[in-house]
Amino acid sequence: MSPRPHRPLPLATPAGVEVLTKILTQGPIPRVEIARRTGLSQAAVTKAVAPLIEAGFVTDQPVAGPDEPVESQLGIGRPVSPLTVVADSVSVIGVKVTPTDLIGVTTDLTAGIRAVRHHELPDPSAETVTERLVALIRELMEIVDDPANLAGPLIGIGVAVSGDVDAAHGVVRDSPFMGWRDVPLAATLTEQLEMPVVVTNDVRALTVAEHWFGVGVNADSFAVVTIGSGVGCGLYINGEVVSGAHGVSGELGHLPLAPGELVCTCGRRGCVETVASSDAILTWTRETTGQPELDLSGAIELAHAGDEHAREAFDRAGGVIGSALAAMVNLVGPELVVIAGEGVADYDLYEQRMREAFAAHAFGAAGDCQLMLRSHTFDDWARGAAATVIRSYVRGEPPLQR
């Protein structure tokens, strides 16, 4: 087993990492613009780019269209060739773990999804999930290895799990949704798959994907708030996705803003999730309507039809989410909050109440923070897991050191 990527990047200096990151996240981009945005000299940019081009990770891309020479666009005789990443130079696998399903994708170096596979889980035990993860990842590895796919060599595997995840050691310390405690997932998978594996919190992975390949590319600061079976929050502040000194950060769903008599899946009382998660909304609707067999789609249908009990469930959720958003924005001051996850499909049911609560509790100019809806599928969560691998690969971080 080799702990290193099959195709190492020729990045010898921090400047090389910075240059490739700019090309990857903001390309196609000319050398002169890279120099301007990084503060490096054009000579330093050229020096960093040369081995990347030679190794096939980066290429020059003409800016002119097929019927117009570059020179005529610029009005000068010297053409400009923006730099772009060769997407197919490597492949990555990302997997999102839920209590009922595994969602796996293969991506290229730009986190573009190339193949998707979904596997149902018979139960969420660590033993069962690990066994099924190995089978799913091996299936995806076969896809990568198929010459017909024209995909580059696999550099690593990312796995995203909800809860308290020690990404540095690949240990799921506490995942209430999965019922896991102290599961050494990365070590187990690495041993069986003989490939480097990155295990991370699912919301943080989604935030990395938005930072490198989504709405956060040009943002100075932003937060990703996910609403579904749980309520999560990822933060990008001061140039980094926040991990927290102990590996825990942005746990919006566990702020004590709900009634104290409500017990959360984490075992504590009054967490935001006890009112705002999809499970909490369904539970409230079942109890208040006297329909214990109701499923979530039925609760949504009732709310859209104007049922006062179902509407109240969503209204309560919107109020608590809005208050939680205001608390987070007051504390860290992001310029943008992206509201994502499977729960946003029914955003219209609680949007007004959420925005009212946010406006009521956001302090001063914090109320100017933009709230943006961005629908995500489980494939996007898996893509986030792949994005964490790409980031570690470019930066030369464990377990994907160059």
Side-chain angles (χ1 to χ4, degrees):
M1 179 187 71
S2 171
R4 296 183 177 274
H6 292 171
R7 190 175 185 188
L9 279 164
L11 297 174
T13 65
V17 174
E18 191 173 8
V19 168
L20 179 56
T21 301
K22 281 289 182 289
I23 300 170
L24 180 60
T25 61
Q26 300 177 24
I29 182 171
R31 292 169 175 81
V32 64
E33 185 62 19
I34 296 173
R36 188 186 70 80
R37 296 185 188 182
T38 61
L40 297 168
S41 68
Q42 291 193 50
V45 171
T46 298
K47 182 178 179 180
V49 166
L52 292 168
I53 293 176
E54 183 178 355
F57 289 99
V58 171
T59 186
D60 293 290
Q61 175 176 299
V63 297
D67 301 321
E68 181 181 7
V70 176
E71 293 87 336
S72 64
Q73 280 192 352
L74 300 175
I76 56 177
R78 183 180 180 183
V80 172
S81 296
L83 298 165
T84 188
V85 166
V86 178
D88 288 331
S89 55
V90 298
S91 296
V92 185
I93 288 173
V95 183
K96 159 70 171 169
V97 178
T98 80
T100 58
D101 296 273
L102 300 177
I103 302 91
V105 301
T106 67
T107 81
D108 56 32
L109 185 55
T110 65
I113 294 176
R114 298 302 179 91
V116 179
R117 294 292 184 273
H118 289 198
H119 283 195
E120 293 185 1
L121 290 170
D123 66 78
S125 69
E127 295 78 10
T128 298
V129 173
T130 300
E131 177 185 339
R132 298 300 177 95
L133 263 174
V134 170
L136 171 61
I137 292 169
R138 283 179 173 157
E139 181 181 337
L140 293 169
M141 291 171 76
E142 290 179 3
I143 293 173
V144 170
D145 293 338
D146 185 346
N149 288 313
L150 301 177
L154 181 64
I155 58 169
I157 298 154
V159 179
V161 186
S162 66
D164 178 2
V165 180
D166 178 357
H169 299 94
V171 176
V172 181
R173 291 187 291 213
D174 185 13
S175 178
F177 285 126
M178 299 301 299
W180 293 1
R181 289 189 67 87
D182 298 321
V183 177
L185 189 59
T188 303
L189 293 177
T190 298
E191 180 180 1
Q192 295 194 45
L193 296 167
E194 299 187 342
M195 282 294 298
V197 177
V198 176
V199 176
T200 188
N201 170 269
D202 54 356
V203 182
R204 201 162 299 137
L206 199 60
T207 307
V208 169
E210 291 293 351
H211 171 212
W212 276 51
F213 306 106
V215 298
V217 168
N218 295 310
D220 292 329
S221 60
F222 70 93
V224 174
V225 174
T226 58
I227 303 171
S229 298
V231 178
C233 177
L235 299 169
Y236 173 74
I237 307 291
N238 295 330
E240 269 301 335
V241 174
V242 178
S243 297
H246 304 289
V248 177
S249 64
E251 289 294 342
L252 200 73
H254 298 288
L255 292 179
L257 299 177
E261 67 270 16
L262 299 177
V263 180
C264 184
T265 55
C266 72
R268 297 165 183 83
R269 292 180 177 272
C271 294
V272 167
E273 287 185 1
T274 63
V275 170
S277 70
S278 55
D279 290 341
I281 291 171
L282 178 58
T283 298
W284 178 269
T285 306
R286 283 174 171 174
E287 292 176 353
T288 55
T289 61
Q291 300 183 47
E293 303 302 319
L294 197 68
D295 60 12
L296 185 59
S297 62
I300 292 167
E301 185 177 343
L302 280 177
H304 278 133
D307 181 274
E308 61 177 328
H309 299 297
R311 293 290 304 184
E312 183 182 6
F314 283 95
D315 191 63
R316 280 170 24 115
V320 171
I321 292 169
S323 298
L325 289 176
M328 181 268 292
V329 171
N330 288 344
L331 283 170
V332 300
E335 64 181 87
L336 168 69
V337 175
V338 180
I339 301 168
E342 62 269 28
V344 302
D346 311 296
Y347 184 72
D348 62 299
L349 291 171
Y350 53 78
E351 176 181 12
Q352 182 177 347
R353 183 70 187 96
M354 183 196 74
R355 290 187 179 275
E356 288 173 352
F358 175 78
H361 296 289
F363 177 75
D368 295 333
C369 176
Q370 180 185 2
L371 305 182
M372 174 189 294
L373 173 67
R374 187 174 175 87
S375 180
H376 280 84
T377 67
F378 280 118
D379 296 356
D380 294 308
W381 291 88
R383 176 177 178 263
T388 63
V389 174
I390 295 168
R391 184 181 67 166
S392 294
Y393 180 59
V394 171
R395 293 180 173 182
E397 297 171 342
L400 294 109
Q401 307 100 316
R402 287 184 296 278

